[in-house]
Amino acid sequence: MAIPYQNSRTLCFFLILSFGLCLVITSAELERFEHPTKEDGSLSFLVLGDWGRRGAFNQSQVAFQMGKVGEKLDIDFVVSTGDNFYDNGLASEHDTAFQESFTKIYTAKSLQKQWYSVLGNHDYRGDAEAQLSPLLRKIDSRWICLRSFIVNAELAEIFFVDTTPLVNKYFTNTEDHTYDWRGITSRKDYIATLLKDVEFALKKSSAKWKIVVGHHAIRSVGHHGDTEELIKQLLPIFQANDVDFYMNGHDHCLEHISDIESPIQFLTSGAGSKAWRGDIKGLNKEGLNFFYDGQGFMSVQLNPTDAEIAFYDVFGKVLHRSHSSKQLHPSI
Protein backbone atom coordinates (compact mmCIF):
# COMPACT_ATOMS: atom_id res chain seq x y z
CA MET A 1 0.00 0.00 0.00
CA ALA A 2 1.45 3.33 -1.03
CA ILE A 3 1.32 6.12 1.49
CA PRO A 4 1.45 9.65 0.05
CA TYR A 5 3.76 12.05 1.83
CA GLN A 6 3.77 15.70 0.93
CA ASN A 7 7.12 17.21 1.84
CA SER A 8 7.62 20.88 0.98
CA ARG A 9 10.83 22.80 1.24
CA THR A 10 10.47 26.48 1.89
CA LEU A 11 13.32 28.77 1.02
CA CYS A 12 12.75 32.04 2.75
CA PHE A 13 14.71 35.11 1.82
CA PHE A 14 13.80 38.11 3.88
CA LEU A 15 14.75 41.27 2.09
CA ILE A 16 14.24 44.10 4.48
CA LEU A 17 14.07 47.11 2.27
CA SER A 18 13.67 50.73 3.18
CA PHE A 19 9.90 50.39 2.87
CA GLY A 20 9.77 47.24 5.00
CA LEU A 21 9.15 44.65 2.23
CA CYS A 22 9.52 40.99 3.21
CA LEU A 23 9.82 38.62 0.23
CA VAL A 24 9.17 34.89 0.75
CA ILE A 25 10.05 32.43 -2.07
CA THR A 26 8.58 28.94 -1.85
CA SER A 27 9.47 25.87 -3.92
CA ALA A 28 7.63 22.54 -3.54
CA GLU A 29 9.35 19.19 -3.82
CA LEU A 30 8.06 16.32 -5.93
CA GLU A 31 5.27 14.42 -4.21
CA ARG A 32 6.47 11.24 -2.52
CA PHE A 33 4.82 7.87 -1.92
CA GLU A 34 6.20 5.51 0.70
CA HIS A 35 6.18 1.85 -0.33
CA PRO A 36 7.78 -0.63 2.10
CA THR A 37 10.01 -3.49 1.04
CA LYS A 38 9.36 -7.11 1.92
CA GLU A 39 10.25 -8.35 5.40
CA ASP A 40 13.61 -9.63 4.12
CA GLY A 41 14.44 -6.16 2.76
CA SER A 42 14.05 -7.11 -0.91
CA LEU A 43 11.88 -5.53 -3.58
CA SER A 44 10.42 -6.79 -6.85
CA PHE A 45 8.22 -5.19 -9.48
CA LEU A 46 7.18 -5.39 -13.13
CA VAL A 47 7.67 -2.68 -15.76
CA LEU A 48 5.28 -2.25 -18.68
CA GLY A 49 4.75 0.46 -21.28
CA ASP A 50 2.63 1.43 -24.28
CA TRP A 51 -0.24 -0.90 -23.52
CA GLY A 52 -3.84 0.38 -23.35
CA ARG A 53 -5.70 -1.08 -26.35
CA ARG A 54 -8.73 -2.81 -24.80
CA GLY A 55 -6.87 -6.12 -24.91
CA ALA A 56 -5.95 -5.95 -28.61
CA PHE A 57 -2.50 -6.48 -30.17
CA ASN A 58 -1.73 -9.19 -27.59
CA GLN A 59 -2.28 -6.84 -24.64
CA SER A 60 -4.35 -9.52 -22.90
CA GLN A 61 -1.72 -12.19 -23.55
CA VAL A 62 1.02 -9.99 -22.12
CA ALA A 63 -1.19 -9.30 -19.09
CA PHE A 64 -1.69 -13.04 -18.55
CA GLN A 65 2.06 -13.69 -18.51
CA MET A 66 2.59 -10.72 -16.22
CA GLY A 67 0.21 -12.32 -13.78
CA LYS A 68 2.19 -15.56 -13.78
CA VAL A 69 5.57 -13.84 -13.38
CA GLY A 70 4.12 -11.48 -10.79
CA GLU A 71 2.98 -14.42 -8.69
CA LYS A 72 6.32 -16.21 -9.01
CA LEU A 73 8.29 -13.13 -7.96
CA ASP A 74 5.74 -11.99 -5.36
CA ILE A 75 5.89 -8.48 -6.81
CA ASP A 76 5.35 -5.40 -4.68
CA PHE A 77 3.96 -3.14 -7.42
CA VAL A 78 3.86 -2.41 -11.17
CA VAL A 79 5.49 0.50 -13.01
CA SER A 80 3.97 1.90 -16.21
CA THR A 81 6.28 3.86 -18.50
CA GLY A 82 3.44 5.75 -20.19
CA ASP A 83 1.23 5.73 -23.28
CA ASN A 84 -1.31 4.13 -20.99
CA PHE A 85 -4.31 4.53 -23.30
CA TYR A 86 -4.37 4.52 -27.12
CA ASP A 87 -4.62 6.21 -29.47
CA ASN A 88 -5.38 9.51 -27.81
CA GLY A 89 -5.33 9.00 -24.06
CA LEU A 90 -8.60 9.24 -22.15
CA ALA A 91 -11.42 11.48 -23.34
CA SER A 92 -12.37 12.27 -19.73
CA GLU A 93 -12.18 10.76 -16.26
CA HIS A 94 -15.42 8.94 -17.12
CA ASP A 95 -13.98 7.33 -20.29
CA THR A 96 -14.80 3.60 -20.29
CA ALA A 97 -11.36 2.94 -21.83
CA PHE A 98 -9.90 3.15 -18.31
CA GLN A 99 -11.70 0.03 -17.21
CA GLU A 100 -11.69 -1.68 -20.60
CA SER A 101 -7.93 -1.24 -21.08
CA PHE A 102 -6.81 -1.48 -17.45
CA THR A 103 -9.19 -2.85 -14.83
CA LYS A 104 -10.65 -5.63 -17.00
CA ILE A 105 -7.29 -6.62 -18.52
CA TYR A 106 -4.87 -6.87 -15.58
CA THR A 107 -7.05 -9.16 -13.51
CA ALA A 108 -4.51 -11.64 -12.09
CA LYS A 109 -4.30 -11.74 -8.31
CA SER A 110 -0.60 -10.89 -8.37
CA LEU A 111 -1.33 -7.68 -10.32
CA GLN A 112 -3.75 -6.33 -7.71
CA LYS A 113 -0.96 -4.16 -6.36
CA GLN A 114 -0.24 -0.46 -6.73
CA TRP A 115 0.43 0.71 -10.30
CA TYR A 116 2.70 3.75 -10.54
CA SER A 117 2.35 5.47 -13.92
CA VAL A 118 3.69 8.40 -15.89
CA LEU A 119 2.11 10.08 -18.90
CA GLY A 120 3.29 9.42 -22.45
CA ASN A 121 2.87 11.55 -25.55
CA HIS A 122 -0.30 9.66 -26.56
CA ASP A 123 -1.76 10.36 -23.11
CA TYR A 124 -1.22 14.07 -23.68
CA ARG A 125 -3.28 13.84 -26.88
CA GLY A 126 -6.38 13.22 -24.79
CA ASP A 127 -7.52 14.66 -21.48
CA ALA A 128 -4.20 14.41 -19.63
CA GLU A 129 -5.77 15.76 -16.46
CA ALA A 130 -8.19 12.81 -16.43
CA GLN A 131 -5.41 10.28 -15.81
CA LEU A 132 -4.21 12.41 -12.87
CA SER A 133 -7.69 12.62 -11.37
CA PRO A 134 -8.34 11.09 -7.92
CA LEU A 135 -11.65 9.83 -9.34
CA LEU A 136 -9.79 7.10 -11.23
CA ARG A 137 -8.36 5.87 -7.93
CA LYS A 138 -11.93 5.50 -6.69
CA ILE A 139 -12.78 3.41 -9.75
CA ASP A 140 -9.63 1.29 -9.37
CA SER A 141 -7.55 1.87 -6.24
CA ARG A 142 -4.41 0.45 -7.90
CA TRP A 143 -4.03 3.50 -10.12
CA ILE A 144 -1.56 6.26 -9.24
CA CYS A 145 -0.54 8.60 -12.04
CA LEU A 146 1.11 11.99 -11.61
CA ARG A 147 3.23 14.10 -13.90
CA SER A 148 6.39 13.66 -11.81
CA PHE A 149 6.76 12.06 -8.38
CA ILE A 150 8.89 9.77 -6.22
CA VAL A 151 8.28 6.29 -4.83
CA ASN A 152 10.43 5.69 -1.78
CA ALA A 153 10.73 1.94 -1.38
CA GLU A 154 13.44 2.16 1.31
CA LEU A 155 15.94 0.02 -0.58
CA ALA A 156 15.32 2.02 -3.76
CA GLU A 157 13.99 5.40 -4.70
CA ILE A 158 12.17 5.58 -8.02
CA PHE A 159 11.93 9.00 -9.63
CA PHE A 160 9.09 9.34 -12.15
CA VAL A 161 9.74 12.13 -14.64
CA ASP A 162 7.30 13.75 -17.07
CA THR A 163 9.40 13.70 -20.25
CA THR A 164 6.83 14.67 -22.89
CA PRO A 165 7.03 18.46 -22.29
CA LEU A 166 10.80 18.30 -22.83
CA VAL A 167 10.44 17.09 -26.44
CA ASN A 168 10.37 19.97 -28.91
CA LYS A 169 8.38 18.36 -31.72
CA TYR A 170 5.19 18.17 -29.64
CA PHE A 171 5.21 21.97 -29.70
CA THR A 172 6.75 22.74 -33.10
CA ASN A 173 5.51 19.91 -35.35
CA THR A 174 2.32 18.45 -33.94
CA GLU A 175 1.33 16.60 -37.15
CA ASP A 176 -2.34 17.59 -36.71
CA HIS A 177 -2.43 16.19 -33.17
CA THR A 178 -3.78 18.26 -30.31
CA TYR A 179 -1.94 18.10 -26.97
CA ASP A 180 -3.41 18.90 -23.59
CA TRP A 181 -0.98 21.39 -22.07
CA ARG A 182 -3.43 22.82 -19.51
CA GLY A 183 -1.16 21.89 -16.61
CA ILE A 184 1.85 23.53 -18.27
CA THR A 185 1.17 27.24 -18.55
CA SER A 186 4.80 28.10 -19.34
CA ARG A 187 6.86 25.34 -20.90
CA LYS A 188 10.15 27.09 -20.11
CA ASP A 189 9.27 27.51 -16.43
CA TYR A 190 7.84 24.01 -16.20
CA ILE A 191 11.02 22.40 -17.55
CA ALA A 192 13.29 24.57 -15.40
CA THR A 193 11.38 23.63 -12.26
CA LEU A 194 11.24 19.97 -13.20
CA LEU A 195 14.98 19.75 -13.82
CA LYS A 196 15.71 21.57 -10.57
CA ASP A 197 13.38 19.33 -8.55
CA VAL A 198 14.74 16.12 -10.09
CA GLU A 199 18.34 17.17 -9.47
CA PHE A 200 17.56 18.19 -5.90
CA ALA A 201 15.80 14.90 -5.17
CA LEU A 202 18.58 12.78 -6.65
CA LYS A 203 21.28 14.68 -4.75
CA LYS A 204 19.38 14.26 -1.50
CA SER A 205 18.67 10.57 -1.99
CA SER A 206 20.66 8.06 0.02
CA ALA A 207 18.88 5.04 -1.45
CA LYS A 208 20.97 2.01 -2.33
CA TRP A 209 19.42 1.95 -5.79
CA LYS A 210 18.41 5.06 -7.73
CA ILE A 211 15.97 4.41 -10.56
CA VAL A 212 14.43 6.96 -12.93
CA VAL A 213 11.29 6.26 -14.98
CA GLY A 214 10.23 8.35 -17.96
CA HIS A 215 8.26 7.73 -21.11
CA HIS A 216 10.85 8.67 -23.72
CA ALA A 217 14.08 6.79 -24.28
CA ILE A 218 17.44 8.41 -23.67
CA ARG A 219 19.19 5.74 -25.75
CA SER A 220 17.35 3.44 -28.16
CA VAL A 221 17.84 1.58 -31.43
CA GLY A 222 14.07 1.36 -31.91
CA HIS A 223 11.78 3.41 -34.14
CA HIS A 224 12.20 6.74 -32.33
CA GLY A 225 15.86 6.34 -31.48
CA ASP A 226 17.67 8.56 -28.98
CA THR A 227 15.82 11.55 -27.52
CA GLU A 228 18.21 14.46 -27.91
CA GLU A 229 16.40 16.74 -25.48
CA LEU A 230 16.78 14.14 -22.72
CA ILE A 231 20.42 13.53 -23.58
CA LYS A 232 21.08 17.25 -23.23
CA GLN A 233 18.92 18.11 -20.22
CA LEU A 234 18.44 14.97 -18.10
CA LEU A 235 21.36 12.63 -18.76
CA PRO A 236 24.04 14.91 -17.22
CA ILE A 237 21.94 15.12 -14.03
CA PHE A 238 21.62 11.34 -13.91
CA GLN A 239 25.32 10.77 -14.54
CA ALA A 240 26.31 13.25 -11.82
CA ASN A 241 24.01 11.72 -9.22
CA ASP A 242 24.71 7.99 -9.44
CA VAL A 243 21.51 6.85 -11.16
CA ASP A 244 21.61 3.09 -11.67
CA PHE A 245 18.75 2.52 -14.12
CA TYR A 246 16.70 4.64 -16.49
CA MET A 247 13.48 2.86 -17.52
CA ASN A 248 11.26 4.02 -20.36
CA GLY A 249 8.73 3.08 -23.01
CA HIS A 250 7.87 5.00 -26.22
CA ASP A 251 9.65 2.58 -28.56
CA HIS A 252 7.44 -0.50 -28.82
CA CYS A 253 10.15 -2.99 -28.04
CA LEU A 254 12.38 -4.34 -25.27
CA GLU A 255 15.95 -3.05 -24.95
CA HIS A 256 18.98 -2.99 -22.69
CA ILE A 257 21.73 -0.49 -23.49
CA SER A 258 24.66 0.41 -21.22
CA ASP A 259 25.82 4.01 -20.98
CA ILE A 260 29.41 4.29 -22.23
CA GLU A 261 30.21 7.18 -19.88
CA SER A 262 28.68 5.99 -16.59
CA PRO A 263 27.22 2.88 -14.90
CA ILE A 264 23.67 3.83 -15.99
CA GLN A 265 21.70 1.06 -17.68
CA PHE A 266 19.02 2.16 -20.18
CA LEU A 267 16.06 -0.24 -20.10
CA THR A 268 13.18 0.05 -22.56
CA SER A 269 9.91 -1.70 -21.77
CA GLY A 270 7.41 -0.35 -24.28
CA ALA A 271 6.01 -3.61 -25.66
CA GLY A 272 2.77 -3.93 -23.69
CA SER A 273 0.61 -4.36 -26.81
CA LYS A 274 1.32 -3.25 -30.39
CA ALA A 275 4.95 -3.87 -31.37
CA TRP A 276 6.92 -2.69 -34.40
CA ARG A 277 8.54 -5.72 -36.02
CA GLY A 278 11.72 -4.94 -37.94
CA ASP A 279 11.69 -1.22 -37.14
CA ILE A 280 15.29 -0.86 -36.02
CA LYS A 281 17.71 2.07 -36.21
CA GLY A 282 20.75 -0.21 -36.17
CA LEU A 283 22.03 -3.04 -34.01
CA ASN A 284 25.64 -1.87 -34.00
CA LYS A 285 25.06 0.82 -31.37
CA GLU A 286 27.80 1.02 -28.78
CA GLY A 287 26.62 -0.34 -25.45
CA LEU A 288 23.75 -2.39 -26.90
CA ASN A 289 23.22 -5.59 -24.90
CA PHE A 290 19.76 -6.68 -26.01
CA PHE A 291 16.97 -5.74 -28.41
CA TYR A 292 13.66 -7.47 -29.12
CA ASP A 293 11.00 -6.13 -31.50
CA GLY A 294 8.02 -8.09 -30.13
CA GLN A 295 5.59 -7.77 -27.26
CA GLY A 296 6.56 -8.32 -23.65
CA PHE A 297 7.50 -6.76 -20.34
CA MET A 298 10.29 -6.53 -17.75
CA SER A 299 10.84 -7.57 -14.15
CA VAL A 300 13.12 -6.02 -11.52
CA GLN A 301 14.36 -7.77 -8.38
CA LEU A 302 16.42 -5.84 -5.85
CA ASN A 303 18.20 -6.50 -2.59
CA PRO A 304 20.89 -4.41 -0.86
CA THR A 305 23.70 -5.88 -2.97
CA ASP A 306 22.16 -7.17 -6.20
CA ALA A 307 19.76 -6.19 -8.98
CA GLU A 308 18.33 -8.71 -11.42
CA ILE A 309 16.59 -7.47 -14.58
CA ALA A 310 14.69 -9.86 -16.85
CA PHE A 311 12.81 -9.34 -20.12
CA TYR A 312 9.92 -11.64 -21.10
CA ASP A 313 8.07 -12.19 -24.37
CA VAL A 314 4.33 -12.66 -24.87
CA PHE A 315 4.68 -16.37 -23.98
CA GLY A 316 6.48 -15.69 -20.72
CA LYS A 317 9.85 -16.85 -22.03
CA VAL A 318 12.88 -15.07 -20.57
CA LEU A 319 14.69 -13.37 -23.44
CA HIS A 320 17.46 -11.58 -21.57
CA ARG A 321 18.78 -11.24 -18.02
CA SER A 322 21.09 -8.63 -16.56
CA HIS A 323 22.75 -8.63 -13.15
CA SER A 324 24.23 -5.68 -11.25
CA SER A 325 26.03 -5.76 -7.91
CA LYS A 326 26.96 -3.25 -5.23
CA GLN A 327 29.08 -3.44 -2.12
CA LEU A 328 27.02 -3.70 1.06
CA HIS A 329 29.43 -1.28 2.77
CA PRO A 330 31.24 1.00 0.28
CA SER A 331 34.97 1.19 0.84
CA ILE A 332 36.29 4.41 2.33
Side-chain angles (χ1 to χ4, degrees):
M1 178 80 180
I3 304 171
Y5 173 66
Q6 185 66 49
N7 177 19
S8 297
R9 68 181 186 273
T10 305
L11 305 177
C12 298
F13 300 94
F14 297 93
L15 304 179
I16 309 301
L17 305 179
S18 57
F19 46 87
L21 176 65
C22 176
L23 175 65
V24 180
I25 301 174
T26 302
S27 177
E29 287 184 8
L30 298 176
E31 185 169 353
R32 300 173 66 90
F33 295 87
E34 306 294 322
H35 201 122
T37 58
K38 298 180 177 66
E39 290 185 2
D40 65 359
S42 66
L43 186 72
S44 59
F45 57 95
L46 302 182
V47 183
L48 176 76
D50 305 79
W51 43 269
R53 297 182 186 270
R54 292 182 167 87
F57 294 98
N58 284 340
Q59 184 193 0
S60 295
Q61 287 83 345
V62 171
F64 177 74
Q65 296 300 334
M66 287 176 63
K68 293 173 66 175
V69 173
E71 181 179 4
K72 181 179 179 180
L73 300 184
D74 186 23
I75 61 168
D76 298 285
F77 51 84
V78 178
V79 165
S80 171
T81 60
D83 277 3
N84 306 313
F85 302 99
Y86 281 95
D87 276 334
N88 297 308
L90 295 179
S92 73
E93 57 190 9
H94 303 289
D95 193 336
T96 58
F98 177 71
Q99 290 177 287
E100 293 169 0
S101 291
F102 177 59
T103 303
K104 295 179 181 180
I105 301 297
Y106 302 101
T107 57
K109 183 178 180 180
S110 69
L111 303 181
Q112 307 309 301
K113 305 290 177 70
Q114 210 73 66
W115 282 57
Y116 297 108
S117 306
V118 290
L119 297 173
N121 55 297
H122 281 267
D123 299 313
Y124 268 105
R125 292 181 188 176
D127 182 348
E129 300 289 331
Q131 292 194 47
L132 313 178
S133 171
L135 178 61
L136 295 192
R137 299 183 201 176
K138 294 181 180 180
I139 298 172
D140 193 320
S141 61
R142 294 177 292 174
W143 185 256
I144 290 180
C145 182
L146 287 79
R147 295 185 194 276
S148 298
F149 61 102
I150 300 170
V151 173
N152 176 22
E154 300 174 19
L155 175 67
E157 277 196 298
I158 308 176
F159 306 83
F160 292 76
V161 179
D162 184 21
T163 60
T164 302
L166 275 71
V167 180
N168 293 329
K169 70 178 181 180
Y170 303 131
F171 296 85
T172 61
N173 183 21
T174 60
E175 298 178 343
D176 297 325
H177 297 300
T178 300
Y179 292 87
D180 180 8
W181 301 125
R182 283 176 296 166
I184 304 171
T185 53
S186 166
R187 183 190 178 206
K188 181 180 179 180
D189 291 345
Y190 181 85
I191 292 174
T193 300
L194 176 60
L195 295 176
K196 179 183 65 178
D197 287 346
V198 169
E199 183 173 24
F200 177 83
L202 285 170
K203 283 184 181 297
K204 191 175 71 170
S205 175
S206 60
K208 193 69 178 180
W209 300 97
K210 295 183 184 181
I211 300 170
V212 181
V213 175
H215 179 62
H216 295 80
I218 293 179
R219 300 291 189 190
S220 173
V221 297
H223 173 79
H224 295 292
D226 297 348
T227 308
E228 294 301 325
E229 294 90 342
L230 272 59
I231 291 173
K232 180 180 179 181
Q233 298 181 82
L234 283 175
L235 183 56
I237 296 174
F238 299 165
Q239 291 172 332
N241 289 283
D242 303 317
V243 168
D244 297 289
F245 304 107
Y246 177 74
M247 302 176 180
N248 63 274
H250 198 44
D251 272 332
H252 295 191
C253 59
L254 303 172
E255 295 180 87
H256 173 201
I257 299 174
S258 298
D259 189 19
I260 60 174
E261 298 177 352
S262 77
I264 299 173
Q265 304 301 305
F266 302 113
L267 306 169
T268 297
S269 182
S273 57
K274 188 176 183 179
W276 297 328
R277 284 286 190 186
D279 197 343
I280 306 168
K281 293 289 185 185
L283 294 177
N284 60 345
K285 189 181 189 74
E286 191 172 7
L288 179 65
N289 301 296
F290 165 74
F291 174 84
Y292 177 67
D293 57 352
Q295 291 115 339
F297 59 99
M298 184 175 81
S299 70
V300 181
Q301 295 175 271
L302 302 173
N303 64 44
T305 59
D306 298 282
E308 184 85 16
I309 309 294
F311 292 89
Y312 305 82
D313 69 9
V314 70
F315 304 107
K317 177 184 176 182
V318 176
L319 302 173
H320 174 71
R321 288 189 186 274
S322 174
H323 181 264
S324 300
S325 295
K326 289 191 175 188
Q327 292 179 314
L328 186 58
H329 302 289
S331 58
I332 298 175

